[in-house]
Amino acid sequence: MADKRKRATAENDSDEDDNGEQPMEAPRKQAQAALAFRKRLKPDNAILATVRKIADSAKSYKPQTQSLADLNLPNACKEVVDLSCASVMAEIEKTIINIARSILGGNGFGYSVPSRSSANQLYVQELDRIVLKDKASFRPFANMASVRKTTITTRILQLVHQLCKKQIHVTKRDLFYTDVKLFQEQGQSDSVLDDVSCMLGCTRSSLNVVASEKGVVVGRLVFVEDGDRIDCTKMGVGGKAIPPNIDKVKDMESDALFILLVEKDAAFMRLAEDRFYNRFPCVIITAKGQPDVATRLFLKKMKTDLKLPVLGLVDSDPYGLKILSVYMSGSKNMSYDSSNLTTPDIKWLGVRPSDLNKYKIPEQCRLPMTDQDIKTGKDLLEEDFIKKDPNWHKELEVMVKTKEKAEIQALSSFGFQYLSEVYLPMKLQERDWI
C-alpha cells in the first residue's frame, strides 16, 4: 500500500495540464502575454492623437436625411413621428368617433392594427435599419379570439388620453396596475401599448408612458435635465441614471473624443471606478444588457448633438452582437420607430472572436457555445445587416466555427484593471475596430 501511495504521489507530481505544460507554466505564460501587450503601449499622448483624428472626422457626421418615401421601395412601409399631447388626443378621439359610428351603423367595432410580426419586417440597407411594412390585421370585438385584446386596446387608449390631457408621464408598470384584472400580465399591456403607438402613428414616448430607469451614463458630459444642470463626471461609480423622458434633456456639452457603448454593468463600473474617461476623454454608457428605449434615444441624441464616434464593447457571443445591432439597426419589436431609436455607424471595438487568440485569453475563460448559441450565430449570419459588413460577417464566422465565446470579464484573468489599463488603450492605439 505504501508503494502504491508513493507511485500515486510521484505521478501527481509529474502531472501536466491538457496543453502539456507544468501546472505553474500556464499562469506564467498568461502573465507574460499580459506584460507583452502592456510594453507595446505608447504614451497616452500618442494614443490620444490617434483618437483625435477619428473624433475630428466624426464632426462632419450628418444625420440621415433620406426617408422611406425617397427610396421608392416596392413595399409600402409604416413609420411613426413625435406628436404633441394635443395631437395624440385628437387621434384617439378620431378613432373613438369612428368606432361609435360603426356601432350605431350596426357593424360592431374593431381596430385595424399594424402587424409587427417578423414576416412584416424589412431591412433597408440604404438606411441601415429595420422598418415595418404597411400590413395590418383587423381586431374585432365580436370575436372570441380577439375580444379580450380589443378590450385591452380600448382601455389603453382611454388611459393614454387621460395622461395626455393631464400632461403627466407614468411608467409601463404604473399603467399595468391601473387594471390588473384586465391586463393580467404586464407583457400584455406592454404589447398593446406598442400596437396603439403604431395605430396612432406616433412614437411610444408621445403616449407619455415610459419604461423604468435602467441605463446609466458617466464621463465627459454635461446636460440640462428639466432645468437642472447635470455633470456626469461627478456621478461616482454608479453613474447618472438615463432619464426616461428624453424630451426633458437639453443643451448637451462635452469635450469627449468618443462615446464608449458598454454591454454590461460590471464593465461599466470597472471603467467608471478607474476614471477611464479622464485618461481618455469619453462618455461611457450602458443599458445593463438588453437595450431599453430611453438608452437608445439618449445614445442617438448624443451622437446627433455632439457628433462623436461610437465604439461598442460587448461580450464575444451571438447575443453581444445582437445587442450591438439593436442600437445600430433597430429591433424587430419596435421597427415602426426605428428612425428615432437607431444610431448609425457604431464601430465594433470588442470583445471580438479574433481577440480571443490575439490577446491570448486563457482556455479556462473561454466558454463552449451551446446548441442555442450556435443556432443564434448561424441565424445572424443570414441577417442582411450582418451580410452588408464583410468584417462583421467574418468575425461571426470565426465564432461559429470555433464554437467558443467569452465575456468581457475574461480580460480580468490578466488583472482586474487590464480592461481599462491595457486592452482598451491598445484597441484605441491600433484603431482596432470594425
Side-chain angles (χ1 to χ4, degrees):
M1 289 295 293
D3 290 339
K4 286 182 180 179
R5 281 197 296 272
K6 286 178 182 178
R7 283 198 299 273
T9 302
E11 287 169 2
N12 288 338
D13 288 343
S14 63
D15 272 353
E16 297 181 350
D17 65 14
D18 292 339
N19 295 321
E21 298 171 344
Q22 296 296 331
M24 292 303 294
E25 190 65 20
R28 189 178 296 115
K29 285 193 172 184
Q30 191 174 321
Q32 289 172 348
L35 183 61
F37 277 102
R38 193 181 292 272
K39 285 182 176 178
R40 283 171 51 190
L41 280 175
K42 296 178 181 178
D44 286 358
N45 287 340
I47 300 175
L48 284 170
T50 300
V51 179
R52 281 195 183 93
K53 290 179 182 178
I54 66 155
D56 290 341
S57 63
K59 293 296 181 184
S60 60
Y61 164 76
K62 294 180 180 178
Q64 178 64 255
T65 55
Q66 268 189 319
S67 67
L68 288 172
D70 298 329
L71 299 176
N72 296 318
L73 297 173
N75 302 98
C77 297
K78 184 176 184 64
E79 281 196 308
V80 298
V81 295
D82 280 316
L83 293 180
S84 64
C85 284
S87 298
V88 172
M89 290 170 62
E91 288 295 326
I92 293 174
E93 289 162 8
K94 188 192 303 180
T95 301
I96 298 303
I97 288 171
N98 288 336
I99 284 175
R101 285 174 178 162
S102 178
I103 293 172
L104 292 172
N107 300 316
F109 83 96
Y111 298 100
S112 178
V113 182
S115 171
R116 293 186 291 113
S117 66
S118 296
N120 202 37
Q121 314 280 341
L122 177 68
Y123 173 74
V124 181
Q125 186 166 346
E126 294 87 346
L127 303 178
D128 192 21
R129 56 184 171 87
I130 301 169
V131 299
L132 187 68
K133 290 189 279 188
D134 195 19
K135 179 184 176 183
S137 59
F138 190 66
R139 186 178 292 171
F141 180 76
N143 185 301
M144 288 298 293
S146 58
V147 59
R148 187 166 166 279
K149 208 160 189 178
T150 306
T151 306
I152 293 175
T153 305
T154 308
R155 180 66 167 140
I156 294 288
L157 285 168
Q158 178 197 12
L159 293 169
V160 168
H161 191 274
Q162 288 180 15
L163 292 172
C164 291
K165 187 175 182 179
K166 294 180 179 179
Q167 295 194 353
I168 59 173
H169 292 76
V170 299
T171 65
K172 292 193 291 184
R173 193 66 175 169
D174 288 328
L175 192 77
F176 166 68
Y177 273 108
T178 58
D179 206 330
V180 177
K181 287 187 177 180
L182 174 61
F183 299 146
Q184 294 183 0
E185 297 176 356
Q186 186 179 332
Q188 296 190 33
S189 58
D190 287 355
S191 177
V192 172
L193 189 68
D194 284 325
D195 289 340
V196 166
S197 182
C198 281
M199 286 167 48
L200 301 178
C202 67
T203 60
R204 203 174 72 185
S205 55
S206 298
L207 303 179
N208 283 15
V209 181
V210 299
S212 299
E213 292 179 348
K214 181 187 176 190
V216 286
V217 63
V218 75
R220 310 288 274 264
L221 176 68
V222 176
F223 62 90
V224 175
E225 179 191 354
D226 202 19
D228 297 325
R229 185 175 172 83
I230 308 296
D231 185 346
C232 293
T233 61
K234 300 175 180 177
M235 292 293 138
V237 177
K240 166 71 174 75
I242 293 173
N245 306 332
I246 302 299
D247 55 332
K248 294 187 177 181
V249 174
K250 311 288 183 186
D251 303 328
M252 282 187 168
E253 301 172 14
S254 178
D255 63 349
L257 298 177
F258 61 95
I259 299 166
L260 185 60
L261 173 63
V262 181
E263 176 186 350
K264 289 183 170 179
D265 190 34
F268 177 91
M269 290 180 65
R270 174 76 276 129
L271 295 169
E273 187 173 36
D274 290 347
R275 298 294 192 270
F276 180 79
Y277 51 83
N278 284 335
R279 182 181 175 191
F280 300 100
C282 65
V283 180
I284 308 171
I285 183 173
T286 182
K288 303 179 183 179
Q290 285 296 330
D292 60 306
V293 171
T295 304
R296 291 165 68 185
L297 286 169
F298 195 86
L299 179 65
K300 172 73 176 284
K301 185 172 179 62
M302 280 200 296
K303 169 81 172 180
T304 305
D305 291 4
L306 303 176
K307 293 182 172 56
L308 294 174
V310 182
L311 307 177
L313 178 67
V314 297
D315 287 341
S316 178
D317 62 25
Y319 305 102
L321 189 53
K322 281 186 77 172
I323 285 172
L324 204 56
S325 69
V326 167
Y327 282 110
M328 192 160 70
S329 301
S331 65
K332 292 183 176 179
N333 187 48
M334 295 194 70
S335 56
Y336 63 90
D337 197 12
S338 63
S339 61
N340 297 300
L341 294 173
T342 53
T343 302
D345 197 31
I346 296 176
K347 304 299 184 185
W348 186 9
L349 185 68
V351 174
R352 301 201 305 271
S354 59
D355 287 344
L356 303 191
N357 287 335
K358 178 180 178 179
Y359 287 88
K360 301 187 183 337
I361 303 297
E363 291 296 327
Q364 67 266 24
C365 296
R366 307 184 190 193
L367 306 174
M369 291 173 67
T370 65
D371 291 342
Q372 184 59 47
D373 291 335
I374 296 170
K375 181 182 182 304
T376 302
K378 288 180 177 178
D379 289 344
L380 276 174
L381 283 171
E382 299 304 316
E383 293 284 357
D384 291 329
F385 62 83
I386 296 293
K387 288 181 178 179
K388 76 175 178 64
D389 192 321
N391 292 321
W392 282 43
H393 197 271
K394 184 179 178 181
E395 288 284 354
L396 190 54
E397 281 182 327
V398 170
M399 187 190 299
V400 172
K401 183 179 179 180
T402 59
K403 299 181 180 179
E404 288 183 332
K405 61 182 180 179
E407 297 183 5
I408 301 170
Q409 282 68 43
L411 296 165
S412 296
S413 61
F414 299 117
F416 291 122
Q417 294 178 298
Y418 188 81
L419 172 66
S420 58
E421 292 185 351
V422 180
Y423 179 77
L424 288 178
M426 182 59 71
K427 283 279 186 175
L428 295 173
Q429 174 178 304
E430 297 182 343
R431 297 171 62 100
D432 186 16
W433 52 76
I434 55 177

